[in-house]
Amino acid sequence: MEEETEKRRRPRAWRSYFVGAASSSLSTLATFPIYKTIFRQQLHAFSVPKAVRQLYHEGFRRIYRGVFPPLMVKTLQGTLMFGTYNSCYDFLSAQPLGSWSRRAVAGLFSGFLEALVFCPFERVQNVLQDGRKVQRFPTTRHILSTFRSYPLGESFSLGFYRGLGLLLIRNGLGTSLYFALEEPLRSSLSAQSLPLGVPAFLSGSLSGTLVSLLLYPLGILIANVQSQVGRQEILGLSATVAEIWQIRGRQARLLYRGGSLLILRSSLTWGLTTAIYQYLSKVTS
């Protein structure tokens, strides 16, 4: 009975691709300035005021510098994340798995596919948002030209797919946990007679924030690994970890510098994405 109810709530797989795209793009535009502030903290270990001041001095026109890659990524990511998840879930419905396990496994495969497809976009985005690279790479075209100059065999160490292994871990675990947690939370909150849209927003906020906090240190590592360009600048994984640890004063708590903004951004992004997705799923059904 529980599985039948859950199946009725879930949109058809083909429709979830379109709904996922719309919900992700809208939430990305709304929260990009917060994301960029967090990125500067991850990269330079800045405090919130210092990161905000740096962005302020760069000017309003540069606030949305680098927005196109993440907007494209998040729109396509939402398309794949929700669409692939629902497709995988439907496929796994014939397997002897419980509802929670089915959501987790479907989310894992969805996350893996996201990482494979979007690693090049995130690579370009991380270089664009590094303030130290503005003079060297003033436009996306300069970055693309540099990456295309590397031999195919060096794509994973120098080019578009640098950091792919880390992205597979982060996206796979993150998407799996999000889908495993969000739907049960939403069902529980819906039983509390909350206003329309609030259960979806809260369930998305809570599950997304929890996942983001758990994987935040991995996000720092990815940002630093992918912002490195050129053979002279590239560091090995262990050397990058050591550098990050040194920059943060060898204190574990400083690995979560930017955590306050992360909570705010994750709450808004995942809450908005989930609420918009659920709303559009209903009105288009």
Side-chain angles (χ1 to χ4, degrees), residues 65-189:
R65 170 183 159 87
V67 70
F68 182 69
L71 179 61
M72 181 186 296
V73 168
K74 292 299 182 182
T75 300
L76 295 175
Q77 189 177 38
T79 304
L80 279 183
M81 175 180 164
F82 289 102
T84 305
Y85 167 76
N86 279 284
S87 296
C88 289
Y89 188 94
D90 289 345
F91 173 78
L92 292 170
S93 295
Q95 307 303 316
L97 294 172
S99 179
W100 190 92
S101 298
R102 194 175 299 130
R103 288 194 300 270
V105 173
L108 185 68
F109 281 111
S110 176
F112 283 164
L113 182 59
E114 288 175 45
L116 287 169
V117 173
F118 299 121
C119 182
F121 292 96
E122 189 161 347
R123 169 75 157 133
V124 173
Q125 172 190 341
N126 282 331
V127 176
L128 275 174
Q129 293 187 144
D130 185 350
R132 299 168 298 184
K133 302 289 194 305
V134 173
Q135 298 299 322
R136 185 179 171 192
F137 301 107
T139 66
T140 303
R141 181 171 56 85
H142 291 83
I143 300 172
L144 297 178
S145 177
T146 299
F147 289 167
R148 282 197 294 262
S149 69
Y150 298 133
L152 182 62
E154 294 184 328
S155 291
F156 290 92
S157 59
L158 297 174
F160 290 104
Y161 281 92
R162 177 166 176 77
L164 175 61
L166 297 173
L167 262 71
L168 286 169
I169 296 172
R170 186 197 63 187
N171 289 23
L173 285 176
T175 308
S176 178
L177 286 172
Y178 168 78
F179 281 116
L181 297 172
E182 188 276 325
E183 199 157 343
L185 277 173
R186 177 160 38 89
S187 297
S188 298
L189 291 168

Side-chain angles (χ1 to χ4, degrees), residues 9 11 15 19 186 190 196-197 200 275-285:
R9 289 174 179 167
R15 186 181 295 119
V19 175
R186 177 160 38 89
S190 296
L196 182 66
I276 294 171
Y277 178 83
Q278 293 301 326
Y279 172 76
L280 292 177
S281 296
K282 289 179 181 178
V283 300
T284 58
S285 61

Side-chain angles (χ1 to χ4, degrees), residues 185-226:
L185 277 173
R186 177 160 38 89
S187 297
S188 298
L189 291 168
S190 296
Q192 305 302 315
S193 301
L194 295 172
L196 182 66
V198 173
F201 181 85
L202 291 178
S203 64
S205 294
L206 291 172
S207 55
T209 300
L210 177 60
V211 170
S212 297
L213 284 172
L214 288 174
L215 299 178
Y216 186 70
L218 186 56
I220 294 175
L221 181 58
I222 290 171
N224 281 270
V225 165
Q226 290 200 323

